Amino acid sequence: MQQVFTKAMARNIFLGGAVFFIAIYLMLSYDTWQRIPARDHADKMTPAVLRGKYLLDTNDCIGCHTINGEGAYFAPELGNVYKRRGPEFISAWIQAQPTNMPGRRQMPNFHFTQAQLDDLVAYLQWLSNVDTNNWPPNIQG
Ligand code: HEC
């Protein structure tokens, strides 16, 4: 006997598929939310880290730079600069601006105090330990 594909069968396939994939979606979302505290390590935000973040935000560093890919594409990524350059380089670099090297893009001098530079470095270090699956890739420029 020939099998007839009815509207009811089509609806059941649609509804069954929808329920199945919604369940997978909810399970994966739950799994992701469970992992966030370990990945963003927000509990390790010390007062110095918060002060450094405030300096980055109020001096519009992402008007030129990106942080984890967000921001402007004029200057290098800052989310992983701590791993790329280390604390001494970052402090010295910020103090030595602008380089006035012909043909290179320039960064202004912000006249930070040593305490402010230490806070910026503390924030950039904290940022470099956020687990982003190594995204964006760390490129030495
Ligand atoms: C007007 C644009 C501009 C602003 C605003 C700016 N920068 Fe930069 N920055 C640059 C450019 C351009 C470079 C790369 C220059 C070069 O390679 O010669 C750079 C490089 C750097 C580097 C070295 C990156 C590396 O990979 O070696 C650090 C660290 C840095 N900036 C931190 C900061 C911080 C912190 C702020 C905010 C307080 C800031 N920048 C604001 C333009 C800017």
Side-chain angles (χ1 to χ4, degrees), residues 91 95 112-119:
S91 247
Q95 283 173 295
F112 290 127
T113 62
Q114 190 55 53
Q116 288 176 314
L117 289 168
D118 293 345
D119 290 343

Side-chain angles (χ1 to χ4, degrees), residues 55-109:
L55 285 172
L56 243 105
D57 291 345
T58 50
N59 286 283
D60 195 27
C61 306
I62 61 163
C64 291
H65 291 271
T66 47
I67 292 181
N68 294 339
E70 296 282 337
Y73 297 103
F74 180 69
E77 165 67 38
L78 290 184
N80 48 22
V81 71
Y82 185 89
K83 288 191 173 146
R84 184 163 67 246
R85 300 296 199 188
E88 291 84 18
F89 177 99
I90 293 174
S91 247
W93 169 273
I94 294 174
Q95 283 173 295
Q97 298 312 302
T99 58
N100 291 322
M101 284 163 76
R104 280 194 86 91
R105 284 176 278 188
Q106 296 298 312
M107 169 165 148
N109 195 303

Side-chain angles (χ1 to χ4, degrees), residues 116-133:
Q116 288 176 314
L117 289 168
D118 293 345
D119 290 343
L120 277 171
V121 167
Y123 174 59
L124 292 174
Q125 179 180 20
W126 176 85
L127 201 57
S128 73
N129 287 323
V130 174
D131 182 357
T132 59
N133 287 338

